[in-house]
Structures are given as C-alpha cells and as structure tokens.
Amino acid sequence: MTASYRVFVTRVLPGEGFAELRKDPAFDLDVWPVDFPPTREELLQHVAGVDGLVCLITDAIDAAVLDAAGEQLKVVSQMAVGVDNVDVAACSARGIPVGNTPGVLTETTADMAWALILSSARRVVEAAEYVKAGQWQTWTPTQMAGVDVFGSTLGVIGFGAIGQAIARRAQGFGMRVLCWNRTSRPDEAAAVGAEQCDFDDLLSQSDFVCVSIALTDDTRNLIDARAFELMQPGAILVNTARGPIVDEEALVDALRGGAIAGAGLDVTAVEPLSMDSPLLQMNNVVVLPHIGSASLATRSKMADMAVANLRAGLAGEALPHAVSPAVGSR
Ligand code: GLV
C-alpha cells in the first residue's frame, strides 16, 4: 500500500501511539533520530512537502517553517501543553490547526512544583551534595537548617489546571493559599481552598511564589525587579512554567541582594542554562532541566495525545486537543 501522509516528527517519542504510527503503512514518517533538535536549516529541509508535523518545545515553528512545509500541511501537533514556540496565529492564518497535550501532565507537573518547594525550603539538593562531598562530620543544631513549608503561605501565579493542582496539594501542608489569574476564577479557587488575590498582594504576602502561567507577550518578564521588591526577604520563587516569565537578571540581583531567599527553577530564560550563569553558583538555587512532566507514564500519554491530534488533523477532523482549531480547514 502506498503511504498517503508524509509526516516529520522532530524526535523519537515514547508510547504506544507512536509505535503504532511507525508501523502504519498509511504514514511515511521522517523521524529525527537523535536527542538534539534539528537545526533551523535541518528543520526547514525536513518539513518540505509534509502533510503533518509533530514537534516539541525545542522547535521554533514560525511562518518560515510553515512556508517551507508548503500548502499541503494539514496539522501541527506539539507534544507539550505550552505552545509558545509555535506561531499559532501564523498557523491559523493558513488554516492549520495546532494541537497540544493538556490535562495528562497536570498532576505530574504539580508534583514537580512541590519537589522544588520542598527541596528549596529544606535545602535538599544542597544537603545531598554536602554528604556526597564528604562534609558530613557531625550533627549540629543549625546544620542545613531551612524554612518550614508547613503552615506557611503559598502564592500561585496562574490558576489553570496546573496552578490548581499545586494549590490543592498545599492543603495537606496546612498552608494559606493565595492565587492570581488574569481572569478571575472564583469557583476554581474556592474548590481548592485558595483565596483570589491582587498580584502585588500575592507577592508581598507569600512565603512561596509559584509561577504556573502560560508564556505570552503579556506574561514575559511578569516577575521583574518590581515584583522581587514586593516579595518578602525570606520568600522562595518556584517556576515550573516557562523561563522568560521571570526576568532572570532581576532574579540574580534579587538573590544577590537578599530581596528573596531562594529559587527552585525547572525552566530558565534560555535552555539549557549556560554553565556561566550566576544561578549555578548559588547554594540557595535549585535548577532542573525542564523535567516538570517527565515521568515515563506522563510523557507516553503526551506522545499518545500528540499522535491522536496528528491523525485527526490529517483526516480533516477536529483535533481532540486543539490550541486553535483550523480557521477554514484544508
Ligand atoms: C512542557 O513544558 C509543556 O508545556 O508541556
């Protein structure tokens, strides 16, 4: 049987859906075989003439990529919930739907936000490194003493599904939970015992400020020098969303100057974070390599959703999970 759909997949994906796609004679798959993403030139070459594109957060899918693909491109399917690397407006202008993978990663990502809250507060990474370095000589009353999470105040910036899941977990820690969202979410806040709050008040009252908002033009550098000035000197910033939501230079200044006490970052402004970054010299900062949704089960579910979106888009059907339905479908 002749393959009817040409598809470029920018990395080898986990999960059953992808394994089946690979065996399906209806698809002529070009799978980027290595862990490093295709370069811009390689991306432009490999998309030429494809009917479908499956991409990751590391791939910049803009108008030039869509033009290089050509008019037959029917769907862009991203294996992630965030799509800030995809020019969704350019896709819509060409009638190309964009799929993403919401829902399945909510709890896994909220777990990671909590891993960062706890490890920053209780100096877990620093203490483990101390042991490995052979510095554990005795027990002292203040050795590796951190701050309490239990009974403190958590501020959640962005109250979508992940923000709500982060807030829900705080109940078990007896915390006061404040939340801020661009549009009011009273029912969602009430459901998890959170108080909706003004942005500035959230910053000034929270012991832990957790960023869980999509990156858009409006949220870029949302946490800037002014925000750090409002925060408490003992506060810890946690970001499991996107790096550019935090002004990283202002963060470094805030940590150096004592405007805040620490940070737990799963994401950075540029990824991977440069080894020259001052953040890597600071004991009160935990940086992870963007692994919020990285459980094998969740990543497999995300890949399955991306494949389901791809299949639907190619068949001219509504995507099960569309960021933007096609405007004038092809
Ligand atoms: C990961 O960062 C995602 O947006 O799914």
Side-chain angles (χ1 to χ4, degrees):
M1 181 180 162
T2 325
S4 38
Y5 296 122
R6 280 188 60 202
V7 175
F8 183 45
V9 188
T10 67
R11 230 62 54 78
V12 178
L13 307 183
E16 281 300 306
F18 181 64
E20 280 162 20
L21 196 69
R22 284 194 121 166
K23 287 188 252 152
D24 192 331
F27 293 86
D28 174 7
L29 286 194
D30 175 11
V31 181
W32 190 251
V34 293
D35 284 341
F36 279 95
T39 62
R40 179 81 181 159
E41 299 224 319
E42 288 163 338
L43 180 61
L44 292 170
Q45 274 169 20
H46 283 255
V47 294
V50 297
D51 300 293
L53 172 62
V54 181
C55 53
L56 307 186
I57 56 170
T58 46
D59 309 310
I61 309 302
D62 56 15
V65 172
L66 302 176
D67 290 342
E71 291 212 331
Q72 74 301 323
L73 181 63
K74 291 172 192 64
V75 56
V76 171
S77 175
Q78 161 113 328
M79 189 195 129
V81 65
V83 288
D84 44 281
N85 58 303
V86 179
D87 187 338
V88 176
C91 291
S92 299
R94 289 162 178 76
I96 302 166
V98 177
N100 71 337
T101 64
V104 289
L105 48 67
T106 300
E107 302 299 337
T108 305
T109 308
D111 283 351
M112 182 53 78
W114 271 89
L116 286 168
I117 291 170
L118 289 165
S119 53
S120 302
R122 299 299 303 276
R123 303 172 66 178
V124 173
V125 174
E126 189 186 352
E129 283 171 356
Y130 174 88
V131 174
K132 279 193 180 162
Q135 289 175 286
W136 184 19
Q137 305 292 327
T138 184
W139 187 94
T140 82
T142 56
Q143 186 181 37
M144 288 292 154
V147 294
D148 278 325
V149 175
F150 182 84
S152 64
T153 299
L154 173 69
V156 183
I157 294 191
F159 217 56
I162 298 173
Q164 292 166 41
I166 294 169
R168 196 181 319 117
R169 283 159 173 71
Q171 301 310 316
F173 285 83
M175 293 172 99
R176 177 180 181 213
V177 183
L178 307 175
C179 65
W180 175 84
N181 197 63
R182 283 167 296 179
T183 52
S184 175
R185 299 233 153 131
D187 296 345
E188 291 83 348
V192 294
E195 300 163 40
Q196 290 206 99
C197 171
D198 180 71
F199 184 71
D200 288 4
D201 289 341
L202 181 149
L203 292 171
S204 60
Q205 292 178 30
S206 298
D207 299 298
F208 299 90
V209 173
C210 229
V211 177
S212 184
I213 199 165
L215 173 62
T216 64
D217 289 344
D218 291 341
T219 62
R220 190 173 295 276
N221 291 332
L222 180 67
I223 309 297
D224 57 5
R226 190 192 80 90
F228 288 118
E229 270 165 34
L230 288 169
M231 287 170 70
Q232 299 177 27
I236 289 173
L237 177 80
V238 169
N239 187 3
T240 49
R242 287 291 185 268
I245 297 164
V246 174
D247 176 341
E248 216 159 85
E249 277 185 29
L251 171 63
V252 169
D253 290 346
L255 288 162
R256 281 190 174 135
I260 65 169
L265 310 172
D266 184 42
V267 290
T268 53
V270 175
E271 297 181 0
L273 181 63
S274 162
M275 286 306 289
D276 297 334
S277 168
L279 292 171
L280 297 179
Q281 307 303 320
M282 298 179 181
N283 284 338
N284 52 348
V285 176
V286 176
V287 184
L288 300 178
H290 201 145
I291 54 169
S293 62
S295 75
L296 204 50
T298 291
R299 288 280 166 88
S300 299
K301 286 182 200 159
M302 290 164 67
D304 287 350
M305 278 176 97
V307 170
N309 282 334
L310 171 80
R311 283 184 181 271
L314 291 176
E317 295 162 5
L319 309 196
H321 300 280
V323 178
S324 62
V327 179
S329 111
R330 288 192 168 175

